[in-house]
Amino acid sequence: MAVSPVSKATPAQAVQLVAVRSVFAVLERLAPAAGGRLAERIWCAIPRRHPAGACPPGRRFEVAGSSGRIVAEEWGAGPRNVYLMHGWGGRRTDLGDFVAPLVDAGFRVVALDAPGHGDSDPGPFGAGRGLLTDLIGALGAVVADCGPAYAVVAHSLGGCATGVAVADGLATERLVTIGAPSELEPHIAVFARTLGMGPRCLARFRTGLEERLGRPMTDFTLPARFADRAPDTLPATLLIHDHHDREVPYTEALTLQRALPDVRLIGTTGYGHRRILRRPEVVGRVLDFLTESRDQQPASPGRHADSSP
């Protein structure tokens, strides 16, 4: 659900992008509806670009989703459930470095593959494509099957999906997002500029995407969604974001920080968007947040920032 600017593309990708822009220029004039459908297919294509992480052996199981099997895995048997939610193009092993420390701390850990990701069946858009609502629905189905969440640890678009689920009513005491976007609109704007989409194709794309999602785009703007919730119904939240994240800018963490009543922000430097999941100090800070008691939390809920990992 993101397109890199030309300056970050390989020579082959730059040539391909020029061709795609030419196609959209023609479709803008002659067939904007076809341009909107093409943009949908590009936007919803699930990337397969990064190597998956590794998890210790767990108990694999399946949950029935709205369009097929959702494959998940669990470790530990603690009374409190911590769910791990990967990002766009990821899989349940992406957060594998968190599993053993969380189990050792007494948690039951559950990780899942969203539809079209990892071992799960494709979502309603078909093989190789997916929707943000697929991630939201998969998390809800696994929580309904495995029991209430004490915490959710989510990466990238999985963090946005979890935020929407929380705004929709998913109960969790604590939420951790790592490199998560606060809304989709800025990414749609970059997407449209990168592909050279004109206003007619863009309008058709937005309309078609909302129809496919079954929800208005405003439903995925987390600051507004959180503002509609009573502060005491939102979880204590830890945001972790790298200052040099090239996929989801650090400013999105600042936007989320301003929108939440009880939130801490940790800014890292040099870990990027994916390597941050492998850093022991990041895993340690998440573990500290999830294991501290209410008495150890800041004396007054509010917004706290920490620039160190």
Side-chain angles (χ1 to χ4, degrees):
M1 288 191 180
V3 177
S4 299
V6 179
S7 61
K8 298 177 185 177
T10 66
Q13 289 171 331
V15 170
Q16 185 181 39
L17 193 54
V18 170
V20 170
R21 285 176 166 176
S22 298
V23 169
F24 274 107
V26 173
L27 294 175
E28 177 70 14
R29 296 194 303 272
L30 303 178
R37 290 192 295 271
L38 175 59
E40 267 188 81
R41 293 185 65 80
I42 296 172
W43 173 262
C44 294
I46 299 173
R48 305 289 184 185
R49 293 194 299 263
H50 71 282
C55 286
R59 185 185 74 84
R60 173 177 158 143
F61 62 98
E62 297 176 0
V63 172
S66 60
S67 60
R69 300 171 310 121
I70 299 167
V71 175
E73 198 167 356
E74 70 171 0
W75 303 261
R80 295 181 296 178
N81 296 325
V82 176
Y83 293 88
L84 305 181
M85 185 74 237
H86 65 75
W88 186 241
R91 58 186 303 155
R92 66 184 185 276
T93 54
D94 284 1
L95 285 85
D97 286 24
F98 292 84
V99 172
L102 288 170
V103 171
D104 290 345
F107 294 108
R108 176 193 184 203
V109 181
V110 181
L112 64 135
D113 289 337
H117 294 71
D119 298 319
S120 291
D121 288 340
F125 203 163
R129 288 183 167 78
L131 300 161
L132 180 57
T133 45
D134 295 345
L135 279 69
I136 298 168
L139 177 61
V142 173
V143 171
D145 183 81
C146 296
Y150 167 72
V152 182
V153 180
H155 177 235
S156 192
L157 194 70
C160 182
T162 303
V164 175
V166 168
D168 288 345
L170 179 73
T172 181
E173 290 186 40
R174 302 192 186 190
L175 170 64
V176 178
T177 70
I178 303 172
S182 61
E183 56 181 319
L184 295 187
E185 286 296 342
H187 299 274
I188 288 176
V190 171
F191 174 76
R193 288 196 304 270
T194 302
L195 298 187
M197 293 170 62
R200 299 172 74 200
C201 286
L202 179 56
R204 296 299 185 95
F205 164 63
R206 286 179 178 277
T207 299
L209 185 59
E210 286 189 329
E211 290 176 355
R212 196 173 290 278
L213 289 165
R215 306 179 66 162
M217 294 303 296
T218 51
D219 271 8
F220 309 107
T221 300
L222 292 181
R225 295 297 311 282
F226 291 153
D228 289 338
R229 292 288 303 271
D232 61 358
T233 66
L234 293 171
T237 302
L238 174 65
L239 311 174
I240 303 178
H241 212 115
D242 196 81
H243 290 281
H244 300 155
D245 190 324
R246 297 174 66 179
E247 294 191 32
V248 180
Y250 181 78
T251 51
E252 302 226 20
L254 297 176
T255 299
L256 282 173
Q257 183 188 30
R258 289 190 292 269
L260 288 158
D262 183 3
V263 59
R264 285 176 244 179
L265 170 60
I266 295 175
T268 65
T269 301
Y271 298 163
H273 188 67
R274 301 190 189 280
R275 286 186 295 112
I276 195 169
L277 298 176
R278 311 266 94 79
R279 301 302 304 181
E281 56 270 44
V282 171
V283 175
R285 293 299 289 267
V286 171
L287 189 63
D288 289 345
F289 176 70
L290 298 186
T291 56
E292 70 182 11
S293 69
R294 291 285 182 182
D295 294 338
Q296 293 173 300
Q297 291 184 13
S300 58
R303 298 173 179 85
H304 307 271
D306 183 349
S307 296
S308 66

